[in-house]
Amino acid sequence: MVSLYISFFFVYAIYAVINPFLQVMLRNLGYSYDMVGVLLSIFEVAGIVGPLVLARRIDKRGDMRGALLFGTAFTSLGVAILMFSRIHALTVLGLVVVAFFMRSLLPILDSYVNNLFNGDAQKYTALRSFGTVGFVFFSLAFALANKPNLESNISIGMYALVGCLMFFIPVLFWKAEPKRAKGSCLLVSEPEGKWYDRAFIVGLVIIAFNRISMSSITSFFSLYLVEELSINAISLMNAIGAGSEYGAMILAGILIQRKKVLPVHLLMISSVAMVVRLLIYAFVPTFGGVLAAQLLHSLCYGFFHPAAIFFVARRVKRSHRTVGMSMYVSLGTGLPAVIGSSLGGLVVEQFGYRSLFMGYSLFALLSLLLSIVFYRVMTTPAIEEI
């Protein structure tokens, strides 16, 4: 358990650097807004392919520990390439390597923990919330120390490499892979050989529209702060948002485990919160407005992520759980990020940030409407009870 807590803590140290500062690194290389959007789209495409390529192999072989060590090493290699890139081809190569392997770390980690604890939502969210603690800790540390140097890609990259090393070490001490439980509670009506149900497909679409809305934040929030509001506290604002999700995530795990709510209920709440959050960015472009919007991250992600994880765990068979988690990461979040980043750069270039946030709030609204329309499908008995 200690090594798992440490692993979750430090895997988000990597994300605390790469997520907010990758777009800054690209701007440091002299790319325009629309080109940043294109490069981020390439990053997201590689982030879609990576988990899908590795997932089924891992489900068959069960070597999650080895896959994490391998993925962390290659994430470090991609970061090093970006640090010293001076030509376009190397920049693209670095982005592809980082995305391919870094985006594979979390679905593998989520699958390992869900298998280890047989889908116990409270135990998972306790571990996952420690990842939030790690993200907040490092974000605040960066903010207080005024690090990394936003004008130096080498400075940004060095912090990412340290995060990779600190995650790599505790994974070395993991115990043997959790064995597959016998006699999973499968629905008799489920066709033999089918590892997912209809709700899984519908749910991925609902999740995808919600995440298109989120892509306006993940891809352009840092630039919005610096260039629109002249606020340089990128790490601090990210820490506030991430910190707000801690209590919400634990509460979500308790509610799901005690069967007080279904995942679809929390996905609907997340969509409503996303609409409100984006409209605040659009119409209240002040420090106070941004602060209020960041606190809504508690619902936009704190409720959303546990709901999505346990939706997948219930809607795919355990034998394909890493595939299911990877489809969530790749098709439910990665593909929407590609679409959002590609369109977002053009929208900002032509119409500005207000239009970006207003327009993307409509995708969250569509996610809510689909949840209502397909509510019966989303609440049918699960293919795998956990």
Side-chain angles (χ1 to χ4, degrees), residues 155-207:
S155 175
I156 295 172
M158 285 301 298
Y159 283 92
L161 290 178
V162 171
C164 288
L165 176 62
M166 298 307 294
F167 173 65
F168 189 92
I169 293 172
V171 175
L172 290 172
F173 295 93
W174 279 14
K175 294 182 179 179
E177 303 288 305
K179 301 298 182 182
R180 184 173 300 170
K182 297 180 179 180
S184 299
C185 299
L186 303 178
L187 291 180
V188 177
S189 61
E190 190 63 28
E192 184 178 355
K194 192 173 182 180
W195 56 270
Y196 62 91
D197 61 10
R198 185 188 175 198
F200 177 66
I201 303 301
V202 174
L204 282 183
V205 175
I206 290 171
I207 287 169

Side-chain angles (χ1 to χ4, degrees), residues 20 24 36 64 77 83 149 159 172 174 195 200 219 228 285 324 364:
V24 177
V36 169
M64 296 186 187
L77 175 62
M83 288 168 63
N149 179 357
Y159 283 92
L172 290 172
W174 279 14
W195 56 270
F200 177 66
S219 294
E228 186 78 0

